[in-house]
């Protein structure tokens, strides 16, 4: 698009209440649940249900901390804004760029997952080819206007919600009517090696992968600048996170693990040598002879991955816009077209996400696990920044005599609990050979960001 057709201007507040609610929901349901749960199951067995409950609880506490700040100050690039305003310029610079990298990596992981889902129907199509095709489609949707993005995400999420509810209801019918066969029984949760078949350590070792599933809940914070009524809509969306986690994670996994012995399911999932080769939600219905349900669910998990990538494209462009407003990114990224779409910010993010196609071409079997571990490394930095910025934010509000209208729970105890959990996740990752490299990369990443920040300071006019 010619640069003369773009101008520096505000984002359009084109997202309605139903868009915000479903965007928040869309960030919670994606590859982490539908595909990442395969690797978790192999190590933790039925205890993975407890792991997702713990991870969801911590995620909810952090979302409340973020929500308190957003309701008081609904701005674009919220994480970076709060870190910058209440902690300092470098904190804002680090928070914003780290979140941008996080969602570039999430986008890569989701596109990789899309390739795996397509291979369920057409095994001969390489994952890199599918990733490339859907990369073009989703970016085209985001280049229209924010209302079109909101509508696309609304319907993507509706498909997910209806399908998961349908799966839970179908699973319950198969369980309690006897139609699922003799192997379908709630006793599967404890009768094949116990609830902790590999001990508590089997669950602990998977907590990092479990946390990947929740790396998207904070997306609701990015929508604040384009929400019609952020002070009403944002609290409602955040409060519903806990119910969504209970229904869509705990409920769906409980039904899934009851329908068939988990160890047989794991053997089927890993038969091709790839722990994340296919979705357990799809395979379970193949195993019990319901091929129609399996094909339908594969379509659903495909749309789920596209939904999260769609949200990621939106999120990254708005984060870059927020960084540019602060002076932490090139001012050209503030340029929008006549519909208020930050076109250059979308193109900039897309350029880096394309690396996903290369990774899938070079290492198709290990691409997803590598990308998930890198996402978790960036995610723990992001969550730590939210909790730390919230501590400073609350102290600033108290100094002004301002009482936040949407208070986080158990301040400051919950903040320190979340920070301790983040350190715990990093410690766990160090003991896992395939993903410990992402922990070692964190100091180098922080040093690189610090160097970029120093370069930015030197280039500022005195």
């Amino acid at each position: 698009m010619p640069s003369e057709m773009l101008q520096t201007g505000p984002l359009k507040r084109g997202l309605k209440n139903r868009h915000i609610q479903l965007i928040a929901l869309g960030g919670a349901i994606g590859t982490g649940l539908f595909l990442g749960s395969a690797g978790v199951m192999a190590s933790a067995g039925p205890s993975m249900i407890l792991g997702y409950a713990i991870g969801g609880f911590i995620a909810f506490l952090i979302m409340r901390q973020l929500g308190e700040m957003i309701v008081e100050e609904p701005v674009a690039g919220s994480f970076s804004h709060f870190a910058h305003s209440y902690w300092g310029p470098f904190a804002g610079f680090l928070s914003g760029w780290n979140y941008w990298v996080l969602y570039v990596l999430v986008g890569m992981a989701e596109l990789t997952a899309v390739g795996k889902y397509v291979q369920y129907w057409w095994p001969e199509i390489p994952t890199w080819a599918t990733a490339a095709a859907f990369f073009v489609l989703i970016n085209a949707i985001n280049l229209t206007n924010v209302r079109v993005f909101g509508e696309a995400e609304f319907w993507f999420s509706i498909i997910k919600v209806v399908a998961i509810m349908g799966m839970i209801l179908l699973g319950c019918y198969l369980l309690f009517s006897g139609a699922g066969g003799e192997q379908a029984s709630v006793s599967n949760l404890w009768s094949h090696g116990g609830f902790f078949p590999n001990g508590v350590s089997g669950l602990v070792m998977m907590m990092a992968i479990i946390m990947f599933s929740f790396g998207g809940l904070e997306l609701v914070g990015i929508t604040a600048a384009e929400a019609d009524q952020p002070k009403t809509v944002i609290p409602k969306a955040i409060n519903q996170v806990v119910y969504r986690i209970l229904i869509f994670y705990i409920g769906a996994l409980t039904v899934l693990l009851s329908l068939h012995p988990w160890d047989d399911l794991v053997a089927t999932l890993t038969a091709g040598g790839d722990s994340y080769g296919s979705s357990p939600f799809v395979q379970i219905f193949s195993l019990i002879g319901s091929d129609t349900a399996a094909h339908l669910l594969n379509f659903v998990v495909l749309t789920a991955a596209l939904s999260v990538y769609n949200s990621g494209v939106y999120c990254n462009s708005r984060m870059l816009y927020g960084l540019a407003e602060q002076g932490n990114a090139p001012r050209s990224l503030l340029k929008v077209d006549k519909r208020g779409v930050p076109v250059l910010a979308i193109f900039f993010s897309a350029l880096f996400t394309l690396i996903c196609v290369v990774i899938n071409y070079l290492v198709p079997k290990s691409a997803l696990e590598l990308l998930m571990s890198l996402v978790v490394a960036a995610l723990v930095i992001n969550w730590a920044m939210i909790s730390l910025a919230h501590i400073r934010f609350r102290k600033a509000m108290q100094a002004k005599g301002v009482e936040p209208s949407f208070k986080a729970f158990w301040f400051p105890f919950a903040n320190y609990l979340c920070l301790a959990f983040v350190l715990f996740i990093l410690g766990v990752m160090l003991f896992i050979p395939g993903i410990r490299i992402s922990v070692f990369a964190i100091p180098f990443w922080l040093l690189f960001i610090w160097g970029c920040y120093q370069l930015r300071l030197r280039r500022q006019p005195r």
Side-chain angles (χ1 to χ4, degrees), residues 284-292:
I284 192 71
F285 286 99
S286 287
L287 284 172
I288 62 178
S290 184
D291 286 338
T292 302

Side-chain angles (χ1 to χ4, degrees), residues 68-69 86 389-399 402 404 406-409 411:
E68 178 181 315
M69 297 187 287
Y86 298 101
H390 178 253
I391 291 172
R392 296 290 188 97
F393 169 85
R394 179 66 73 86
K395 289 180 178 177
M397 292 298 104
Q398 288 172 346
V402 175
F406 184 56
K407 278 189 173 183
F409 291 125
F411 174 85

Side-chain angles (χ1 to χ4, degrees), residues 105-184:
L105 291 168
V106 166
M108 291 183 185
E110 298 298 334
L111 286 172
T112 300
V114 167
K116 291 180 180 291
Y117 298 144
V118 168
Q119 284 182 336
Y120 179 78
W121 293 309
W122 300 288
E124 69 279 4
I125 299 179
T127 53
W128 68 266
T130 307
F134 283 103
F135 165 83
V136 173
L137 173 65
I138 297 299
N139 278 282
I141 288 173
N142 277 267
L143 284 168
T144 50
N145 63 49
V146 70
R147 184 71 62 83
V148 173
F149 156 77
E151 285 299 325
E153 190 54 34
F154 178 81
W155 289 108
F156 274 148
S157 295
I158 284 288
I159 290 171
K160 285 190 281 191
V161 173
V162 172
I164 293 179
M165 293 302 294
M167 192 219 81
I168 292 173
L169 291 174
L170 175 60
C172 288
Y173 166 74
L174 294 172
L175 271 174
F176 300 115
S177 71
E182 291 183 4
Q183 81 284 350

Side-chain angles (χ1 to χ4, degrees), residues 90-353:
F90 175 65
F93 188 88
L94 167 62
S95 182
W97 281 107
N98 181 74
Y99 197 73
W100 177 78
V101 165
L102 167 63
Y103 253 97
V104 165
L105 291 168
V106 166
M108 291 183 185
E110 298 298 334
L111 286 172
T112 300
V114 167
K116 291 180 180 291
Y117 298 144
V118 168
Q119 284 182 336
Y120 179 78
W121 293 309
W122 300 288
E124 69 279 4
I125 299 179
T127 53
W128 68 266
T130 307
F134 283 103
F135 165 83
V136 173
L137 173 65
I138 297 299
N139 278 282
I141 288 173
N142 277 267
L143 284 168
T144 50
N145 63 49
V146 70
R147 184 71 62 83
V148 173
F149 156 77
E151 285 299 325
E153 190 54 34
F154 178 81
W155 289 108
F156 274 148
S157 295
I158 284 288
I159 290 171
K160 285 190 281 191
V161 173
V162 172
I164 293 179
M165 293 302 294
M167 192 219 81
I168 292 173
L169 291 174
L170 175 60
C172 288
Y173 166 74
L174 294 172
L175 271 174
F176 300 115
S177 71
E182 291 183 4
Q183 81 284 350
S185 169
V186 178
S187 64
N188 285 325
L189 296 176
W190 59 82
S191 61
H192 294 268
F195 189 68
F196 293 94
N198 295 314
V200 175
S201 63
L203 173 61
V204 169
M205 287 297 103
M206 284 293 104
M207 285 306 298
I209 300 300
I210 287 172
M211 293 319 295
F212 170 82
S213 303
F214 301 107
L217 293 174
E218 64 285 280
L219 175 65
V220 68
I222 303 295
T223 66
E226 291 170 277
D228 266 354
Q229 299 175 307
K231 290 184 181 293
T232 304
V233 172
I234 300 296
K236 188 184 295 184
I238 288 175
N239 278 335
Q240 288 177 358
V241 166
V242 68
Y243 305 116
R244 291 193 291 267
I245 289 169
L246 284 173
I247 295 170
F248 297 118
Y249 280 75
I250 311 306
L253 288 171
T254 300
V255 170
L256 174 77
L257 291 164
S258 298
L259 283 173
H260 197 83
W262 71 272
D263 45 356
D264 282 354
L265 179 55
V266 167
T268 304
L269 290 169
T270 57
D274 182 358
S275 298
Y276 302 96
S278 60
S279 169
F281 286 85
V282 176
Q283 286 297 328
I284 192 71
F285 286 99
S286 287
L287 284 172
I288 62 178
S290 184
D291 286 338
T292 302
H295 285 293
L296 186 60
L297 265 175
N298 196 61
F299 171 74
V300 170
V301 296
L302 172 63
T303 60
L306 291 175
S307 164
V308 177
Y309 178 52
N310 185 42
S311 296
V313 172
Y314 166 85
C315 167
N316 260 349
S317 59
R318 273 56 180 183
M319 179 56 76
L320 285 178
Y321 185 94
L323 283 166
E325 278 188 322
Q326 299 164 14
N328 286 331
R331 298 288 296 176
S332 59
L333 295 175
L334 284 173
K335 291 187 179 295
V336 298
D337 64 13
K338 62 183 180 182
R339 294 158 300 191
V341 176
V343 174
L344 295 182
I346 290 175
F347 278 128
F348 186 79
S349 299
L351 186 64
F352 286 87
T353 308

